[in-house]
Amino acid sequence: MDFSGFQIAFQAVAPVFVLIGIGLVIRARHLLTDEELKRVNGMVFQIFFFIMLFYSTYTTNIRQTFQPRLIAFALCSLAVIYIVPFLLVPRFEPSDKRRGAMIQAIYRSNFVLLGIPLIANLFGEENIAVTTMMVAVVVPIYNVLGVMTLEIFRGGKVAPLTLMRNVFKNPMIQGAIVGALFLIIGIPVPEIVMKPLRQVTAATSPIALIILGASFHLGSTADHMKQLVTCVVSRLIIIPGVVLSSAALLGFRGVEFATLIGIFASPCAVAGFAMAQQMDSDAELAGNCVVFTTALSCLTLFGWIVLFHTLGVL
C-alpha cells in the first residue's frame, strides 16, 4: 500500500492542530482571560493580518499569481453554496436568528486562518502567492454576504454604503490594497523594513491558530443539535465533496487545487461567530459551528487530502 498520501496529509494537517492544541492548553491553565484573548485576537486581526497581506501582495509576481480561471471557478462555486442554503434553510428553519447563523456557517469558511497555513505546509511558504491572491478575492465577498445575510434575517435594511465601508475596514483587504499600490507604483521598501515584516508574516498564522485554540468555548447544543449537524455536515462534507470533485474534473491541480481545499473544505469562520454576536443572530449556534467544524476538520481535511492525492490531483 502506498502511504505517501497519508504522510503528505498528516504533514499538512498536524502542525495546524498542534498549534490549536497549544491554545487549548493555554485555556485549560487559565493563562489568559477571555478579555485578554479578545485583545490579543484584535491585535492579530488589526495589525498582523494587515502586515501579512501587505507583504504577500507586495512580494507577489502578478503575472504568475493572477489566475482568472481559478478566480472564476471560486466565485461561481461561492455563489452556488450561498444561494442554495439561502433558499433552502428558511424552508425548514422557522427562526430568523438561526436562519442567518446557519447560512453564514454553511457558506463561510476559515480560509485565512486554517486554509493558508494548510497550503503552506503542503507546498511551502514560498509557494502560497496564488493562495494569498485569492484572499483578496474571497474575503470581501464573505464580508458582504455575511453582513447582508444577518441584516436580512434580523429584519433590517441592507445599505450598500455600509456594506462597502465594512469591506474596506477589513485589515486584510486594506493590507492587500496597500501592498498592491506599492507593487504597481513601484515604491521600494528597504530590506531593513522588509525583514521585520517578513518575520511578522511568518508569525501571524501560528499566533492566530494558538489564539483560536485558547478561545474555544463549547456552548449548550441541546436546543439546536439538528441545526448544528446540518451546518457541520454541509460545511465539511457536502460542500467540499461537490466543489472539489468539480474542480478535479475541470483540471485544477497542485497549488490551485490546494487553494480550493483551503477555501471550500476549511471549517466555519471565527468571524462568523463575532458577526452573529454583533448583529442579533444566534451566537451560541454560530459559536458551536466554529468549535465543532474546527475540531472535526482535522479528520475531514486529512481525508480530502489523502483522497485527492491518491487520485493524482495533489
Side-chain angles (χ1 to χ4, degrees):
M1 180 180 289
D2 180 11
F3 289 98
S4 60
F6 290 92
Q7 183 179 357
I8 289 171
F10 183 78
Q11 289 173 346
V13 172
V16 172
F17 290 95
V18 167
L19 290 168
I20 293 175
I22 293 171
L24 291 172
V25 172
I26 291 172
R27 183 170 188 86
R29 295 190 177 186
H30 306 288
L31 297 177
L32 291 171
T33 65
D34 287 341
E35 183 60 31
E36 288 168 338
L37 283 169
K38 186 176 179 181
R39 288 180 176 275
V40 175
N41 195 43
M43 176 192 72
V44 172
F45 184 68
Q46 296 288 338
I47 305 300
F48 281 42
F49 276 126
F50 177 93
I51 292 173
M52 183 179 76
L53 267 296
F54 171 84
Y55 179 85
S56 299
T57 305
Y58 181 73
T59 57
T60 290
N61 184 323
I62 296 177
R63 291 182 179 179
Q64 292 180 358
T65 58
F66 182 69
Q67 306 288 344
R69 185 166 172 266
L70 177 65
I71 294 172
F73 178 82
L75 292 181
C76 290
S77 299
L78 185 54
V80 172
I81 66 172
Y82 175 76
I83 292 170
V84 171
F86 190 89
L87 295 175
L88 293 182
V89 167
R91 290 180 176 271
F92 63 83
E93 176 51 57
S95 167
D96 275 343
K97 284 191 173 185
R98 288 182 176 172
R99 286 173 175 176
M102 289 179 69
I103 293 167
Q104 186 172 223
I106 290 170
Y107 86 81
R108 186 172 191 169
S109 75
N110 219 355
F111 172 40
V112 175
L113 204 55
L114 273 89
I116 289 179
L118 182 77
I119 295 153
N121 292 337
L122 278 169
F123 292 94
E125 293 280 351
E126 68 278 5
N127 293 312
I128 63 168
V130 170
T131 308
T132 54
M133 176 270 296
M134 289 301 295
V135 170
V137 175
V138 171
V139 170
I141 296 173
Y142 277 169
N143 289 336
V144 169
L145 294 179
V147 172
M148 184 173 71
T149 302
L150 297 181
E151 196 66 60
I152 287 172
F153 287 106
R154 73 171 179 179
K157 294 182 179 180
V158 180
L161 289 178
T162 302
L163 285 176
M164 294 303 296
R165 187 160 53 246
N166 287 334
V167 170
F168 286 106
K169 283 169 61 177
N170 188 300
M172 289 178 281
I173 302 306
Q174 293 173 348
I177 291 173
V178 175
L181 289 174
F182 271 57
L183 178 63
I184 293 168
I185 297 172
I187 300 174
V189 180
E191 178 59 22
I192 196 172
V193 175
M194 289 296 287
K195 183 177 180 179
L197 294 183
R198 186 160 52 244
Q199 291 170 331
V200 171
T201 296
T204 298
S205 291
I207 293 174
L209 289 169
I210 290 170
I211 297 302
L212 174 63
S215 302
F216 269 3
H217 174 70
L218 185 63
S220 171
T221 62
D223 294 335
H224 55 240
M225 181 57 72
K226 182 174 68 174
Q227 292 85 352
L228 178 62
V229 170
T230 299
C231 293
V232 170
V233 172
S234 299
R235 178 70 257 155
L236 297 181
I237 298 175
I238 297 174
I239 287 172
V242 173
V243 175
L244 297 179
S245 297
S246 301
L249 291 173
L250 289 171
F252 289 100
R253 297 291 185 270
V255 71
E256 288 188 355
F257 189 86
T259 298
L260 294 172
I261 292 180
I263 297 171
F264 295 104
S266 291
C268 298
V270 177
F273 168 63
M275 287 183 62
Q277 280 184 314
Q278 296 166 12
M279 298 186 66
D280 196 30
S281 185
D282 192 329
E284 189 170 56
L285 172 60
N288 278 334
C289 285
V290 173
V291 171
F292 278 91
T293 56
T294 302
L296 293 172
S297 66
C298 64
L299 301 175
T300 56
L301 283 169
F302 182 88
W304 292 122
I305 292 170
V306 169
L307 173 63
F308 286 106
H309 180 269
T310 303
L311 294 174
V313 179
L314 278 174

